Amino acid sequence: MKKLLFAVIALISLQLTAQQDPTSWSTEVKKGSDQEYELITTAVIEPGWHVYSQTTSPENRGPIPTTLSFYEVEEQIELLGINEETGSYREYSPVWEFPVYQFSDAAVFKQKIKVLDTELTYILAEVFFMTCDEERCLRPKGVPLIFKLDPNAAVPPNVADVIETYLDEEKDPILAMAPEVSSFQVKEPQQKEEVQKDQDAKKKNDPEVADQEDKKDRSLWTIFIVAFLSGFAALLTPCVFPMIPLTVSFFTKQSKNRAKAISNAILYGVFIIVIYVLLGTVVTAIFGSESLNQLSTNVYFNVAFFLILVIFAASFLGAFEITLPQSWANKADEKANKGGIVGIFFMALALAIVSFSCTGPIVGSLIVEAASKGGLAPVIGMLGFSLAIALPFALFAIFPGWLNSLPKSGGWLTTVKVVLGFLELALAFKFLSAADLVFQTHYLEREVFLALWIAIFGGLALYLLGKINMPHHGPESSISVGRLFLGLIVLTFTIYMIPGLWGAPLKIISGFPPPLNYAEAPYGVGYTKLEANLELPEGAHLTVHDITAFHDYEQGRAYAQKVNKPILLDFTGWACVNCRKMEERVWSEPAILTMLKTDFVLISLYVDDKNKLPKEQQYRSEVTGKKVRTIGDKWMEFQKKNYQVAAQPLYVIKDKDGNDKGQPIAYTPEADRYEAWLRKGLEK
């Protein structure tokens, strides 16, 4: 109560008569292409005073955020993107008694526009802001601004009156003090040396911002962990496992003392890591980090991945062995005999070559999966994989007594290899499904995909329970208890998938099969699609969970204006696994589903839609410089240009006129957090 009283006094009572003006504002116009311009607004702030960021919320006793309002914006100009700000940072404020986003010394705002009225020579605007020092605040005020598109343009003398009249008619002055927080972007500040530290503090003190910033890091950690576990799986194959005692014994016998043996074994492990990480680096360098991110939606790459994984699976199941040329292994062995550091490196290379028939399919699958994530994912994947393989060699060299506890090589190694073969085959159909979804051919609908997976995992269960055998297996009279338990787990999973043929959601594997609405019977066997019996708005479709959705932004926005509802903009993709997880696990929650059906107009923009745009609508991208030829290219350009993000899913809440409300949010598997974000957007 004390703080609230202080804020009220600071805003109204104490500063009503203040005559100070510690800020001065100026404008600049930069001409772009055609009728596009960049309007630059700069504030010079006297030492000791602060102006507040657009990110600042006036709720909870907060300072008034800076707002830029344009005169007759809808009739004469079109705002392109968001109003970017430079120079803001987060710092504790003695006046407000909590950290706030603010400017010191200078503030710069940049807004790109397109001029709709070709006769327009100047643009009128007003900046509304608040100024405070360390002890007090001045009364919030508005300053008229003039942006001259033509340097020689004649401006009426009563500009301030014109702007003030317009703003009074268009919006309540109180609302002007609480603008939409979403119409901004904080760029890397240039005015303060301490900004980087303040931006780090912003992440630390703002959980939502920190969460958005860390999503990529968490994704890389996931890739690392999966790759690490895959490395252990490769370790348990017939090509690698027997090499552990042989290699460790070699270092122990050839070294003069135990310390030397340990150092050689550790160096051996390091070289294994170097070899595999180098492979990931080469893949990233060849394709480029941005191109890798597009592999998951490229039809031809997905079909190629499908064929590669089927070949890998056949190899693991015993049809043939994939090996590198024997001459490579012989040359590596010759170099290894020379000893020293060079010899140890070639010993590691020889291991990678000789074990390729077992590790190759796993490495190939990891590269395929990591490549679809883009960036450094292939390098991180190979780091995790190689670390899992290298660790045992170093550990057993340090503790050679552990070798006695290792299980003997035998049929169980072949079992591991066969299990991996079945898993590779199941993963292959995920990539074929992605290609089918992108092209919308409906050859591999949900029922067909599930039938294939049921057959594959059913076969794996029968194999583990000893009912079927592989060509490279000898006769087995009994199975181990561990194999029995694993067989029962796989059998349970197989039975779990069967109801999916009749419309069960199967949330455990959501994201892998095609979505619920991409099926022969999306409402279950015997039920017909509601879309045929409903009068949907023009351009709308029934999507997952019978939510009415638009696939075109302008059509969706026009409908939102007609029914006076906010927009939920959904940047998605047919081949996007996380998008399917969100739809099937999060959107299905009753409270969220109700909001999506009744409170929002859903616009789902598929960035991998391969349908061609008409020739007259194709254009050159301002973001990438590439030709925008397909509908998917158009929506990807829209996403990158307005939100500087290329990953899906991305969700944005807009009002009926298309103005952003709040921060966008990406993949959010926590339903309660996603629901809170939706409700917060509705309130705004």
Side-chain angles (χ1 to χ4, degrees), residues 548 556-568 594-603 653-658 682:
T548 301
R557 190 174 70 168
Y559 181 72
Q561 291 174 333
K562 180 180 178 181
V563 298
N564 194 29
K565 287 185 179 181
I567 296 168
L568 177 62
T594 299
M595 281 193 285
L596 295 180
K597 286 186 173 183
T598 61
D599 298 329
F600 288 97
V601 173
L602 177 63
I603 304 177
I653 294 177
K654 293 174 169 284
D655 64 18
K656 62 184 177 65
D657 297 318
L682 276 176

Side-chain angles (χ1 to χ4, degrees), residues 393-415:
F393 292 97
L395 290 176
F396 282 113
I398 297 172
F399 307 103
W402 290 2
L403 288 172
N404 298 326
S405 62
L406 279 179
K408 294 182 179 179
S409 301
W412 68 273
L413 291 176
T414 306
T415 300

Side-chain angles (χ1 to χ4, degrees), residues 19-285:
Q19 299 299 317
Q20 287 181 270
D21 188 6
T23 59
S24 60
W25 295 84
S26 61
T27 62
E28 180 184 356
V29 177
K30 288 187 177 180
K31 181 73 167 66
S33 58
D34 298 329
Q35 294 298 312
E36 294 185 3
Y37 297 84
E38 185 177 53
L39 308 183
I40 303 173
T41 308
T42 303
V44 178
I45 308 167
E46 292 183 4
W49 291 89
H50 306 288
V51 171
Y52 295 96
S53 166
Q54 299 172 106
T55 66
T56 303
S57 172
E59 304 168 0
N60 302 324
R61 312 167 279 101
I64 303 302
T66 301
T67 314
L68 191 65
S69 301
F70 291 95
Y71 175 57
E72 293 186 353
V73 61
E74 294 182 359
E75 299 177 9
Q76 296 181 311
I77 64 173
E78 176 187 351
L79 302 181
L80 302 178
I82 51 183
N83 190 23
E84 301 173 351
E85 67 179 40
T86 303
S88 62
Y89 63 99
R90 181 173 177 136
E91 188 171 79
Y92 177 83
S93 170
V95 172
W96 303 104
E97 299 185 354
F98 59 85
V100 296
Y101 297 108
Q102 61 188 18
F103 298 92
S104 299
D105 303 329
V108 180
F109 302 88
K110 297 180 180 180
Q111 174 68 63
K112 291 183 179 179
I113 65 162
K114 182 177 181 180
V115 175
L116 305 178
D117 183 355
T118 55
E119 297 182 358
L120 187 67
T121 58
Y122 62 87
I123 296 171
L124 304 181
E126 181 187 63
V127 60
F128 190 86
F129 64 99
M130 170 185 243
T131 314
C132 302
D133 63 9
E134 301 303 317
E135 299 177 353
R136 55 185 175 145
C137 295
L138 304 182
R139 183 180 182 181
K141 63 180 295 185
V143 172
L145 301 174
I146 303 172
F147 297 92
K148 288 189 176 183
L149 307 182
D150 180 357
N152 301 318
V155 180
N158 59 338
V159 167
D161 295 335
V162 172
I163 295 175
E164 185 176 354
T165 302
Y166 163 72
L167 292 173
D168 287 342
E169 292 174 352
E170 292 294 315
K171 63 170 71 174
D172 190 312
I174 300 300
L175 293 180
M177 298 169 65
E180 295 84 354
V181 181
S182 61
S183 59
F184 70 92
Q185 177 191 10
V186 180
K187 282 198 167 181
E188 192 69 27
Q190 301 170 355
Q191 281 81 9
K192 291 182 69 67
E193 297 177 357
E194 304 89 348
V195 166
Q196 186 59 51
K197 180 178 69 175
D198 296 322
Q199 292 293 343
D200 294 338
K202 172 182 173 181
K203 294 180 183 179
K204 188 179 295 184
N205 294 310
D206 191 333
E208 184 170 337
V209 172
D211 179 76
Q212 294 297 322
E213 291 291 329
D214 292 340
K215 279 191 180 293
K216 287 185 178 180
D217 294 337
R218 291 205 302 270
S219 177
L220 291 178
W221 271 109
T222 301
I223 292 171
F224 177 83
I225 293 170
V226 170
F228 189 77
L229 296 176
S230 301
F232 274 121
L235 198 66
L236 300 178
T237 57
C239 313
V240 182
F241 187 80
M243 299 292 291
I244 297 174
L246 292 175
T247 305
V248 173
S249 298
F250 172 82
F251 284 127
T252 304
K253 292 177 182 178
Q254 295 296 320
S255 303
K256 296 179 181 179
N257 51 56
R258 185 166 178 266
K260 187 65 175 176
I262 293 173
S263 64
N264 286 343
I266 292 175
L267 191 59
Y268 179 71
V270 169
F271 281 139
I272 290 175
I273 295 173
V274 169
I275 290 168
Y276 281 103
V277 169
L278 186 61
L279 174 62
T281 305
V282 169
V283 170
T284 304

Side-chain angles (χ1 to χ4, degrees), residues 346-639:
F346 280 100
M347 280 188 67
L349 182 60
L351 172 70
I353 294 172
V354 171
S355 64
F356 184 79
S357 60
C358 292
T359 60
I362 301 176
V363 169
S365 303
L366 279 174
I367 288 287
V368 165
E369 187 64 24
S372 66
K373 307 298 181 185
L376 293 175
V379 178
I380 298 298
M382 289 300 95
L383 176 62
F385 178 84
S386 58
L387 184 62
I389 291 181
L391 269 177
F393 292 97
L395 290 176
F396 282 113
I398 297 172
F399 307 103
W402 290 2
L403 288 172
N404 298 326
S405 62
L406 279 179
K408 294 182 179 179
S409 301
W412 68 273
L413 291 176
T414 306
T415 300
V416 171
K417 195 173 179 181
V418 172
V419 170
L420 292 174
F422 276 103
L423 295 178
E424 294 259 345
L425 188 59
L427 183 63
F429 283 101
K430 176 219 170 190
F431 289 98
L432 185 61
S433 172
D436 180 71
L437 280 165
V438 171
F439 265 151
Q440 293 286 288
T441 57
H442 289 266
Y443 291 140
L444 195 59
E445 293 184 316
R446 187 177 177 88
E447 293 90 343
V448 179
F449 182 95
L450 289 175
L452 288 166
W453 266 37
I454 289 169
I456 292 170
F457 284 98
L460 175 57
L462 292 175
Y463 166 76
L464 290 170
L465 295 173
K467 300 303 180 183
I468 60 175
N469 223 334
M470 292 293 114
H472 51 330
H473 259 286
E476 292 189 42
S477 57
S478 62
I479 60 174
S480 66
V481 175
R483 180 169 166 176
L484 172 65
F485 283 161
L486 183 59
L488 292 175
I489 292 172
V490 175
L491 181 61
T492 302
F493 176 66
T494 304
I495 296 172
Y496 164 79
M497 289 190 290
I498 292 175
L501 297 172
W502 287 272
L506 306 181
K507 289 188 177 183
I508 291 178
I509 59 171
S510 61
F512 285 93
L516 290 164
N517 59 318
Y518 193 81
E520 294 178 16
Y523 298 94
V525 176
Y527 295 91
T528 57
K529 238 183 165 183
L530 293 178
E531 189 169 358
N533 304 320
L534 289 178
E535 290 188 13
L536 294 173
E538 184 180 355
H541 307 270
L542 279 185
T543 186
V544 64
H545 309 306
D546 293 336
I547 304 170
T548 301
F550 292 85
H551 293 167
D552 181 85
Y553 177 70
E554 293 302 332
Q555 286 182 330
R557 190 174 70 168
Y559 181 72
Q561 291 174 333
K562 180 180 178 181
V563 298
N564 194 29
K565 287 185 179 181
I567 296 168
L568 177 62
L569 193 58
D570 166 31
F571 290 100
T572 183
W574 295 112
C576 172
V577 173
N578 284 341
C579 303
R580 302 292 86 76
K581 289 180 180 179
M582 287 293 296
E583 293 165 2
E584 295 173 17
R585 295 182 185 179
V586 179
W587 285 12
S588 60
E589 292 296 316
I592 294 174
L593 187 56
T594 299
M595 281 193 285
L596 295 180
K597 286 186 173 183
T598 61
D599 298 329
F600 288 97
V601 173
L602 177 63
I603 304 177
S604 294
L605 305 180
Y606 287 84
V607 300
D608 53 4
D609 189 331
K610 299 304 179 184
N611 289 307
K612 293 283 187 181
L613 288 167
K615 282 286 185 182
E616 62 274 11
Q617 294 182 21
Q618 296 181 15
Y619 61 96
R620 184 71 58 183
S621 167
E622 296 179 9
V623 178
T624 64
K626 298 178 181 178
K627 190 73 177 290
V628 175
R629 293 186 173 89
T630 67
I631 293 175
D633 293 340
K634 176 183 176 181
W635 301 137
M636 176 61 84
E637 164 86 355
F638 182 39
Q639 180 183 350

